[in-house]
Amino acid sequence: MSRGVCLVVEDDEDISDLISLILREEGFGVRAVRTGSAALEEVSRVNPALITLDLGLPDTDGLLVARELRKVTAAPLLLITARASPTDELDGMAAGASAFLAKPFRPYELRDVANKIC
């Protein structure tokens, strides 16, 4: 049984593929996009059950995207980022994140967090 669609917002193709693989194994359908603007367009189309979001996107800051996503969806929002200072985590949570995962991460960490917030 599908747990719904996860919108993966990650500009690095290898990382996006890894996140997608792990979440598919956990029962999610996956729609991956590379930019913040694509994420904002896609969110209304897929009505995601979960969103993973990188903070370092090529077209805009991920925190701005998080704030905009919060205006249109209540889906759990998991930040997955190399910007892993305590300040980054606090800023992410203030922008509406449900959880924060620092890169590099281990596959079991993503599974655990996704299962906890969904």
Side-chain angles (χ1 to χ4, degrees):
M1 179 186 284
S2 175
R3 295 175 67 181
V5 174
C6 176
L7 178 60
V8 175
V9 186
E10 171 61 62
D11 62 316
D12 183 296
E13 186 174 352
D14 291 335
I15 296 171
S16 177
D17 288 349
L18 176 62
I19 293 168
S20 298
L21 174 68
I22 292 166
L23 293 174
R24 281 188 187 104
E25 289 175 348
E26 291 302 304
F28 291 95
V30 174
R31 175 70 178 113
V33 296
R34 305 270 185 250
T35 65
S37 58
L40 294 171
E41 290 174 13
E42 195 67 19
V43 69
S44 62
R45 278 181 254 193
V46 300
N47 190 23
L50 172 66
I51 301 168
T52 68
L53 175 64
D54 185 11
L55 293 183
L57 297 170
D59 63 336
T60 189
D61 182 72
L63 290 174
L64 297 174
V65 176
R67 288 184 193 100
E68 290 302 310
L69 287 169
R70 273 295 157 245
K71 293 177 183 178
V72 296
T73 182
L77 177 59
L78 171 57
L79 299 182
I80 303 177
T81 183
R83 289 173 30 189
S85 76
T87 301
D88 291 319
E89 185 171 358
L90 289 173
D91 289 346
M93 300 309 269
S98 307
F100 188 93
L101 188 60
K103 293 177 188 174
F105 62 89
R106 299 194 189 300
Y108 76 86
E109 292 173 316
L110 175 54
R111 283 186 194 99
D112 288 352
V113 172
N115 286 321
K116 180 180 176 185
I117 64 175
C118 284

